[in-house]
Amino acid sequence: MKTWFDWMDTYYTPRPQPEGAQEGETERILALARQKLGLAGDAPQAQPGPRPRPAARRIRRLWALAAAAALLFCLGVGTAAAAGVFPWASIGDFFGAGSQQQAASLGMPGEGLSLTQTKEGVTVTLEGVLDDGMAAYLPVQLTFADGQYDPDLRYNIWAILTPAGPVSDGVSCRQLEDPDPTDATVPLMLTARHEGLQPGDAVELAVFRIFGNAVHDDGSTETVWSWEHELTFSFTLPEARPAVTAAAPEGTTEPDTGIPIAQVSITPMRVAVTFAEHPDDAAVRDRLSRLPLALTFADGTALALPEGWGEDGGTRSAYGGEGYYMVACEFDALLDPADVAAVTVNGVAVPVA
């Protein structure tokens, strides 16, 4: 027989409220419980004027409200019950100077979450979520118990976002600059692609492994510390500006490989190029992932994008499936996709406007 908490684990999806607001949330959970558990129909409609309530019924209702209130308290850990302000002050440099104002003007202000869970000496805090229309950016703070933290290691998280949408290969992680490397905390930025999902969709971030790598003099890494437990954070995707997508003119191909270019997509944080084939040859896929990319703006200026991966693996990404291969490149700062007139792929311009 399912317990109350078994049912909540399966069916309950939190609904963000304005800052500090919880009005109506208890009644909503009770109504949802009645519906999912098939205990009763809709709650009785209020009748005009005061109406005496039998003592036993009054006590049962008080117990139900108390249980729901206790449940809300429990759900405060790892569940987004109320949205706050995105933590720009701590990770604003990741998105470039003036990013907070730029994000607001582009319709992607983000939300603060402050969801925290602890297991086996490691506390994971999901600080917020910012969405660019193709990916969610999730600043995370790791806090280590005594004896767990080594400032000489580079830390990483393995996680998944569910549902991930039709195109996803997991969550990438970048360790950010730590303002105080002696305080047993590590700031990270997770990037979760989710093409196909919309603002307001309920999602879960499942963290299942954290590991620390030693970086050797030759640049190679070795995992010397590992933590393997599952933590789940539930929230909804915030407001985001839809990606600008343009189909390539018929017959447009990448000149070095001859593979057709299907379309380009631009968000305030990235450009993605979709090819109409998925090459069997790994060397060809690697060549496509490193192609020169550039943006041409409406005012005639151009911006060449990095051709490889950044130090933390966050600049380029490449992934694909049956019949397509996609290469994406993040920008170093937020920009307005409406200002882009064309995307150039290895010398071939794909008009956007």
Side-chain angles (χ1 to χ4, degrees), residues 114-317:
S114 297
L115 306 179
T116 297
Q117 295 190 56
T118 301
K119 189 169 285 187
E120 296 297 328
V122 179
T123 297
V124 179
T125 301
L126 180 57
E127 296 185 301
V129 54
L130 183 77
D131 202 296
D132 74 349
M134 290 179 67
Y137 294 83
L138 306 163
V140 168
Q141 187 87 7
L142 301 181
T143 304
F144 297 88
D146 292 343
Q148 290 273 39
Y149 174 60
D150 185 344
D152 295 326
L153 299 184
R154 179 166 291 277
Y155 289 90
N156 206 321
I157 286 180
W158 283 0
I160 59 173
L161 186 74
T162 57
V167 178
S168 178
D169 67 345
V171 176
S172 63
C173 176
R174 183 187 305 186
Q175 183 169 330
L176 304 177
E177 183 176 352
D178 192 348
D180 184 359
T182 66
D183 64 356
T185 64
V186 175
L188 304 170
M189 179 66 74
L190 306 184
T191 304
R193 291 196 310 275
H194 58 67
E195 291 89 331
L197 299 183
Q198 303 296 324
D201 285 349
V203 295
E204 287 188 344
L205 178 74
V207 175
F208 53 90
R209 187 180 182 216
I210 302 171
F211 56 97
N213 286 345
V215 181
H216 301 304
D217 292 339
D218 61 359
S220 62
T221 61
E222 177 187 3
T223 298
V224 297
W225 178 89
S226 181
W227 173 102
E228 295 188 21
H229 301 280
E230 185 171 346
L231 303 177
T232 301
F233 301 91
S234 301
F235 55 97
T236 58
L237 293 178
E239 181 181 358
R241 181 167 180 162
V244 174
T245 300
E250 187 174 356
T252 303
T253 60
E254 193 282 311
D256 288 350
T257 62
I259 293 179
I261 301 173
Q263 68 178 32
V264 295
S265 300
I266 308 170
T267 77
M269 275 298 292
R270 66 178 56 212
V271 59
V273 180
T274 303
F275 299 92
E277 295 178 9
H278 187 284
D280 293 331
D281 191 332
V284 176
R285 293 195 300 270
D286 183 69
R287 172 59 185 156
L288 292 177
S289 68
R290 299 174 186 273
L291 288 175
L293 301 176
L295 305 179
T296 301
F297 297 96
D299 63 3
T301 59
L303 173 66
L305 301 176
E307 295 186 19
W309 283 260
E311 291 183 3
D312 301 298
T315 302
R316 288 269 183 137
S317 60

Side-chain angles (χ1 to χ4, degrees), residues 5 8-9 12 14-15 22 25 29 67-83 112-118 124-126 232-235:
F5 292 100
M8 290 304 293
D9 287 342
Y12 177 67
R15 182 170 59 185
Q22 293 293 334
E25 188 68 2
I29 291 180
L71 180 62
L72 281 175
F73 178 80
C74 294
L75 289 171
V77 177
T79 301
L113 297 177
S114 297
L115 306 179
T116 297
Q117 295 190 56
T118 301
V124 179
T125 301
L126 180 57
T232 301
F233 301 91
S234 301
F235 55 97

